[in-house]
Amino acid sequence: MKKETKIINAGRQSKWTRGVVNPPVERASTVVFDSVKQMKHATSNRGKQVLFYGRRGTTTAFAFADAMNELEGGAGCAIYPSGTAAITNAILAFVKTGDHILMADNTYEPTRDFCENVLKRMGVETTYYDPMIGAGIEQLIQSNTRILFLESPGSITMEVQDVPTLAKIAHQHSCIVMLDNTWSAGVNFQPFDFGVDISIQAATKYIVGHSDVMLGTATSTEEYWPTLRENSYLMGQCTSPDDLYLALRGIRTLAVRLKQHQESTLKIVKWLQTREEVGKILHPAFNSCPGHEFFQRDFTGSNGLFSFVLTRGNQHSLNALLDGMKHFKMGYSWGGFESLILGVTNVSRTRSVTTWDDTYPLIRLHIGLENVDDLIEDLTHGFERLNQTL
Ligand SMILES: *Cc1c(COP(=O)(O)O)cnc(C)c1O
């Protein structure tokens, strides 16, 4: 089945929909049983998509978990109230005091903060590695290394990692390979084909797609699924069926949305290449982006999120550009239908083993579903404001 078709059908098994097109919102805390036998059956199968108690999920959650497994190719999917909760709980499920993990140096800032605060306090040590390290990762693996955590492309600076090489070496040393797969949305990169054991997404982004729900997922191979599932349950992780309904609705248009985000973004990048205000463009589909060759080899498409470095300006001129934008709103997050802009003046702040040499500010854009000409006009005026301050 091609991915567009898979996206339409994912999670819509009749046991969840009971004949209607969309899996319904099923709200529950208590599930009641008519007999001891029924109750025992539910209890002994409580990890297996059987109604047991609200915290284990209802049919809306089962449908969404199935949809994510079908999308990414996982054997099981744990659902969390945010992408950050998915990352932290997936890590916590597999470490104990005295363990060590390897974390990409360009990882999402809250992931780094979790390592520096919670993991450190628990006596779990983190070593950051250059996302472009490739086979060199072997030198950083210790006898107590439990997890190799990847994020590809990385946050803000967009480096694409050599996932199969990293995964192969990690497995030779019995490390679990986890990937923050948010950028690909599970559509443009199939994590389990490249050796990933647990694939994590901030479903908040493209899966939900409309900037109105916080949600996280961790899909897993058969091998790690029981531990991931039971530890998520022990941590009390559960999500609202209303949010899951919205996520299921979001998934249906995922392929067409991504296609449009990609098309508009490629047009805008080509236009940016003609602008003298624009230096290095950090978009995986262009060869100025570190790891472009791995993107070409492993991904089937891109989306609306990328960064570029200015060739001029300081904080004051960056503010002039940002403050007058009409369609590009300033905001964290991305993956909704709307365009967003983020100015970054201190990339080094969230790095420890890699350097960032550019002196001029970086801009991260999320290209939404507005008309491209309107967006280009908005950016043109932004560059004019920037130039006026110099
Ligand atoms: C947004 C994001 C997260 C966190 O997701 P939340 O739902 O906001 O907690 C994790 N990883 C990446 C790459 C993200 O962009």
Side-chain angles (χ1 to χ4, degrees):
M1 214 192 284
K2 297 275 191 292
K3 67 186 167 199
E4 292 85 354
T5 314
K6 203 188 266 184
I7 279 167
I8 297 306
N9 292 298
R12 285 182 51 224
Q13 293 85 329
S14 58
K15 63 182 168 180
W16 309 139
T17 61
R18 285 175 237 128
V20 297
V21 173
N22 294 297
V25 175
E26 186 171 66
R27 302 174 145 279
S29 57
T30 310
V31 174
V32 289
F33 306 97
D34 288 332
S35 68
V36 173
K37 191 171 165 230
Q38 244 185 31
M39 192 170 198
K40 279 196 169 145
H41 176 264
T43 307
S44 54
N45 290 286
R46 62 192 183 277
K48 299 184 193 149
Q49 300 193 322
V50 164
L51 281 179
F52 165 73
Y53 177 54
R55 198 178 335 112
R56 282 274 185 187
T58 64
T59 54
T60 320
F62 303 155
F64 178 68
D66 280 1
M68 290 305 295
N69 280 326
E70 288 166 52
L71 198 61
E72 294 201 296
C77 173
I79 311 170
Y80 305 89
S82 70
T84 302
I87 292 164
T88 61
N89 280 278
I91 293 174
L92 283 176
F94 296 95
V95 292
K96 62 177 186 320
T97 302
D99 283 348
H100 171 248
I101 73 164
L102 286 166
M103 178 60 68
D105 204 30
N106 57 353
T107 198
Y108 182 63
E109 195 175 348
T111 305
R112 173 182 286 269
D113 292 343
F114 168 74
C115 297
E116 290 311 295
N117 293 283
V118 182
L119 287 186
K120 190 174 265 178
R121 194 177 72 223
M122 287 173 54
V124 175
E125 189 203 351
T126 304
T127 298
Y128 297 91
Y129 66 90
D130 180 341
M132 296 289 94
I133 198 168
I137 197 72
E138 188 145 30
Q139 268 82 60
L140 299 179
I141 298 177
Q142 307 173 180
S143 58
N144 59 344
T145 308
R146 262 313 261 157
I147 296 170
L148 171 63
F149 197 101
L150 320 175
E151 184 180 318
S152 182
S155 283
I156 309 288
T157 45
M158 309 299 291
E159 296 89 342
V160 184
Q161 297 192 259
D162 185 354
V163 179
T165 298
L166 291 161
K168 189 167 157 239
I169 294 169
H171 288 154
Q172 284 163 0
H173 295 267
S174 310
C175 301
I176 303 167
V177 178
M178 296 188 186
L179 167 73
D180 185 330
N181 194 28
T182 304
W183 192 83
S184 93
V187 174
N188 291 322
F189 181 79
Q190 291 297 299
F192 303 107
D193 292 347
F194 296 91
V196 170
D197 299 306
I198 296 180
S199 172
I200 297 161
Q201 279 200 54
T204 307
K205 310 287 167 57
Y206 280 126
I207 298 289
V208 166
H210 296 72
S211 304
D212 50 5
V213 173
M214 301 297 300
L215 199 64
T217 58
T219 55
S220 168
T221 57
E222 196 74 56
E223 183 179 1
Y224 295 110
W225 172 235
T227 305
L228 179 67
R229 180 191 69 209
E230 288 313 303
N231 277 272
S232 301
Y233 181 68
L234 291 171
M235 296 299 281
Q237 299 296 322
C238 60
T239 43
S240 140
D242 300 81
D243 287 350
L244 296 172
Y245 178 89
L246 288 172
L248 279 162
R249 178 182 269 217
I251 282 179
R252 303 307 163 207
T253 55
L254 185 56
V256 280
R257 281 188 286 114
L258 284 175
K259 210 181 272 179
Q260 187 60 53
H261 285 294
Q262 164 171 287
E263 185 189 312
S264 301
T265 303
L266 294 178
K267 269 189 199 157
I268 287 179
V269 172
K270 288 193 178 118
W271 172 77
L272 287 171
Q273 285 178 320
T274 69
R275 297 292 306 200
E276 55 185 32
E277 297 87 352
V278 176
K280 194 170 25 176
I281 293 174
L282 302 168
H283 183 304
F286 291 81
N287 61 15
S288 48
C289 186
H292 166 68
E293 65 274 28
F294 307 127
F295 171 82
Q296 296 278 82
R297 186 189 63 190
D298 303 340
F299 284 70
T300 54
S302 59
N303 58 39
L305 189 80
F306 71 101
S307 301
F308 62 90
V309 185
L310 291 166
T311 55
R312 57 194 70 178
N314 49 29
Q315 183 76 61
H316 171 64
S317 43
L318 177 65
N319 291 356
L321 182 156
L322 295 172
D323 279 343
M325 298 306 288
K326 192 164 143 194
H327 301 299
F328 286 91
K329 303 294 180 194
M330 276 180 273
Y332 298 108
S333 199
W334 48 276
F337 49 78
E338 79 288 9
S339 287
L340 294 169
I341 188 165
L342 196 65
V344 186
T345 48
N346 190 357
V347 175
S348 308
R349 190 176 60 83
T350 52
R351 296 187 165 232
S352 34
V353 297
T354 52
T355 50
W356 181 256
D357 300 326
D358 285 280
T359 29
Y360 296 109
L362 175 150
I363 289 180
R364 186 181 77 174
L365 296 180
H366 178 254
I367 306 301
L369 303 177
E370 302 88 344
N371 183 287
V372 184
D373 296 334
D374 289 334
L375 297 178
I376 288 178
E377 191 184 315
D378 205 15
L379 290 166
T380 305
H381 292 147
F383 288 139
E384 283 164 12
R385 286 190 300 278
L386 174 90
N387 291 330
Q388 276 156 19
T389 62
L390 299 174

